[in-house]
Amino acid sequence: DVKVTQSSRYLVKRTGEKVFLECVQDMDHENMFWYRQDPGLGLRLIYFSYDVKMKEKGDIPEGYSVSREKKERFSLILESASTNQTSMYLCASSITGQSSYNEQFFGPGTRLTVL
Amino acid sequence: AQKITQTQPGMFVQEKEAVTLDCTYDTSDPSYGLFWYKQPSSGEMIFLIYQGSYDQQNATEGRYSLNFQKARKSANLVISASQLGDSAMYFCAMRELTGYGGSQGNLIFGKGTKLSVKP
């Protein structure tokens, strides 16, 4: 059974703290993604990675960084958390390739509150 | 311009009735895929159904079917015989093949439709 796990379901942090969100997949997928979900805005791509140590900016990378040292793990880092980063964060993974059918498998999400 | 448009922020349907969730898309890529995901209140995204741009027939998966009208660039999700457990957010998404750099896996999501099934 395919699985994407995220380190926390709920997280509360203070403004200015450094925050790490961890994502692990056990499907040997090349691609991994971090999304942010806000009401009325859908899912917006923050960063993605198509290989170890490779990363690409998505639509809203400002205020975030990522790390992918191992194939199965993709970390999202908030260097100095701010209240406008309060949101639901979703991690996903998929295989790579030229087929238009590359289903993304999602983790359960992390609801982050920054006070 | 939005690439994926879901015009219905919220919808209600009576249990056991069918419901159609609208999705229109915008792309100049001849090869693309369209996906529907369900997100219950617990938060996880559940893949429902996929339609490829070259598929001749509309996709079906159990009670879910995709009404694909390529010329109109629409990919509406039809849920037959609604159940209380169908109450959730539903997202339409598109994947284009000609992405930049290594972006072959990227999905573009709509803003979602919240479906409520009434008993």
Side-chain angles (χ1 to χ4, degrees), chain B residues 30-100:
Chain B
S31 183
Y32 53 89
L34 296 156
F35 300 75
W36 277 93
Y37 282 85
K38 171 184 178 182
Q39 186 183 42
S41 57
S42 53
E44 77 273 23
M45 296 283 283
I46 302 167
F47 166 72
L48 294 178
I49 197 167
Y50 164 82
Q51 180 86 41
S53 58
Y54 295 117
D55 293 343
Q56 294 297 312
Q57 296 195 336
N58 287 344
T60 60
E61 289 285 349
R63 293 186 300 111
Y64 304 108
S65 61
L66 203 151
N67 184 1
F68 181 48
Q69 297 186 46
K70 195 170 181 177
R72 297 179 62 184
K73 293 189 176 178
S74 76
N76 299 339
L77 177 71
V78 181
I79 305 174
S80 62
S82 297
Q83 301 172 356
L84 296 178
D86 293 335
S87 294
M89 283 291 290
Y90 289 81
F91 291 96
C92 179
M94 176 175 66
R95 179 172 179 270
E96 296 167 307
L97 269 197
T98 53
Y100 55 90

Side-chain angles (χ1 to χ4, degrees), chain A residues 12-26:
Chain A
V12 180
K13 295 291 181 181
R14 297 222 173 261
T15 301
E17 279 192 76
K18 190 168 186 176
V19 181
F20 292 88
L21 303 183
E22 304 284 342
C23 175
V24 177
Q25 50 97 2
D26 66 359

Side-chain angles (χ1 to χ4, degrees), chain A residues 69-111:
Chain A
E69 297 296 318
K70 293 185 178 181
K71 190 175 185 179
E72 67 271 18
R73 187 180 297 268
F74 192 34
S75 302
L76 180 69
I77 303 156
L78 287 65
E79 293 288 342
S80 178
S82 63
T83 54
N84 62 14
Q85 292 178 310
T86 292
S87 187
M88 172 74 141
Y89 291 88
L90 290 160
C91 175
S93 71
S94 74
I95 59 172
T96 193
Q98 286 300 309
S99 168
S100 64
Y101 176 70
N102 279 349
E103 178 190 344
Q104 286 191 12
F105 295 87
F106 283 82
T110 296
R111 290 192 183 275

Side-chain angles (χ1 to χ4, degrees), chain A residues 13-79:
Chain A
K13 295 291 181 181
R14 297 222 173 261
T15 301
E17 279 192 76
K18 190 168 186 176
V19 181
F20 292 88
L21 303 183
E22 304 284 342
C23 175
V24 177
Q25 50 97 2
D26 66 359
M27 297 165 280
D28 202 34
H29 284 169
E30 294 84 3
N31 296 335
M32 295 189 75
F33 308 84
W34 275 107
Y35 294 92
R36 169 178 173 156
Q37 183 182 7
D38 299 289
L41 297 178
L43 276 73
R44 294 179 291 167
L45 183 64
I46 305 172
Y47 268 96
F48 65 98
S49 167
Y50 52 91
D51 203 350
V52 175
K53 297 192 185 294
M54 304 301 287
K55 60 186 179 184
E56 293 271 353
K57 293 180 180 179
D59 299 318
I60 51 164
E62 296 78 20
Y64 304 94
S65 62
V66 290
S67 172
R68 192 164 181 204
E69 297 296 318
K70 293 185 178 181
K71 190 175 185 179
E72 67 271 18
R73 187 180 297 268
F74 192 34
S75 302
L76 180 69
I77 303 156
L78 287 65
E79 293 288 342

